[in-house]
Amino acid sequence: MGARTLQAPRGTFDVLPEDGRRRLTLLRSGTDLLSGAGYEPVETPVFEETELFARGVGEATDIVEKEMFSFEDQGGRSVTLRPEGTASVCRAYIQHGMHKRPQPVKLFYSGPFFRYEAPQAGRHRQFAQIGAEALGSDDPSLDAELILLLAELLERAGTRGVRLRLSSLGTAATRREYSVELREHLRAHERELSEDVRARIDRNPLRASDSDHPGTRAAMESAPRLLDRLAPEDAEHLQAVRALLEDAGQRYELDPRLVRGLDYYTRTVFEFDSEALGAQSALGGGGRYDALVEQLGGPPTPGVGWAAGVERILLASDLDPSAPAPDLFVALDSSDAVRAAFAIVRAARAAGIAATMEHAGRSLKGQLKHADRLGARAVVIVGADDLQVRNMRTGEQRAVAEAGEAIELVAGLGDEA
Ligand code: AMP
């Protein structure tokens, strides 16, 4: 019997070239967009001390309670594969004294993230995010700028059925007071609540807000709203963000149910989703986290940011970049032609011509067919002691004296196109 075939771990996937092309196109488009708005690249490790997420994301969140890939390394330290990016970016901001740079510090990142969730369409255990963060200013123009950048990213990706929901969570103090009020309300409706929400009435009553459980939803209908409890400065801040979005013609729905699943948010929260997707419809979201840097041991530093899911965006988008066609395919018409062909490919690439050559021992006819399939504009046919350049569009074929002439001719064909 043959050896057992191995598969990618549950909840993970391989990216094959067709999909890889779409991902790369999206990442390039995001990079261009964010760079153009003054955001700079940042990279942090894919694993961090577990404590960073416990302290940053919040002990009573789904992510920290159930979804972290944590393990002990050989040195006995508890480390965790990053479930999200903001805590790591704040850790790096503190560690490298970035508060000494001109503020705000505007950063973006992309890469893999890990959550131990039940896999389904659009939900994986390893997934990719693009994220952007602005630290060091609480100006509402940054909230609006970031929201509009994510809207633009989705637009450029051709994402269908995009909707934006917006809310404000106020400050931690407001939320504490509101939590007391909400806890009382939930206790009075305890029997209607989902088990999950009931178990967290004490620790995290806000989680009831976005529950889809019918009983919990009904109980929340009659609950006091956090949006109505905002301190005047926070209400004003929200008002300023809304005005800027409205000036920009950005449509949104003010949604008091929006709390997001992480503890660090203050003031603005937002989420984009797509009606083209099923149960896992969130494309990306974020908000303000004015207390997080301090909570992680840094100087008081406001911040705002978002993260968007690469797989979800692509699921909801029409993005379909075609495979890049080579300008030139170098064909072999003699068993002695390999070295000359190899040299032509190198010279062509050095001249900025996208070139590939035959590597699979096809007949000349087979090579021309293959070059056609690749979409090559020209083929150089290398014989034992002659060189031909074939224009694949017209079928016209011409003998040339040497490699340099062949390359010039191919370059000329490119100019015509
Ligand atoms: P969050 O920080 O949880 O709002 O995540 C930001 C975005 O990442 C979401 O809106 C999704 O698009 C994406 N995302 C989060 N978790 C997963 C997952 N398990 N699989 C795929 N995408 C995810």
Side-chain angles (χ1 to χ4, degrees), residues 63 84 115 117 122-125 127-129 260 262 265 271-272 282-285 307-312:
I63 292 183
E84 60 99 52
R115 293 182 194 174
E117 296 192 83
R123 191 159 77 191
H124 314 284
R125 290 181 176 173
F127 54 97
Q129 285 186 341
R260 309 225 352 108
L262 302 88
Y265 288 114
E271 199 159 277
F272 286 86
L283 298 165
V310 168
E311 293 78 22
R312 301 262 181 96

Side-chain angles (χ1 to χ4, degrees), residues 152-201:
E152 176 71 22
L153 180 90
L154 298 173
E155 165 88 33
R156 289 192 190 180
T159 318
R160 296 180 307 264
V162 175
R163 295 174 298 209
L164 167 62
R165 291 175 300 137
L166 175 75
S167 191
S168 173
L169 299 179
T171 55
T174 308
R175 224 148 66 210
R176 259 195 308 278
E177 281 167 33
Y178 170 74
S179 291
V180 173
E181 219 183 325
L182 181 60
R183 218 172 264 138
E184 257 171 49
H185 178 85
L186 291 175
R187 287 234 176 76
H189 292 79
E190 206 162 332
R191 293 227 307 269
E192 300 155 44
L193 304 177
S194 75
E195 215 171 292
D196 234 30
V197 168
R198 205 180 314 138
R200 285 197 211 168
I201 293 183

Side-chain angles (χ1 to χ4, degrees), residues 325-330 348 351-354 371 375-381 388-400 404-417:
D327 304 313
L328 169 64
F329 183 85
V330 180
I353 295 169
R377 230 175 6 229
V379 175
V380 169
I381 302 166
Q388 312 250 357
V389 177
R390 186 183 177 91
N391 180 334
M392 293 296 278
R393 212 158 294 144
T394 61
E396 188 192 340
Q397 193 164 312
R398 191 179 332 160
V400 293
E405 200 183 327
I407 287 167
E408 256 171 50
L409 205 60
V410 173
L413 287 181
D415 296 340
E416 280 163 30

Side-chain angles (χ1 to χ4, degrees), residues 129-143:
Q129 285 186 341
I130 305 177
E133 318 279 352
L135 289 113
S137 162
D138 65 0
D139 201 87
S141 59
L142 275 176
D143 307 50

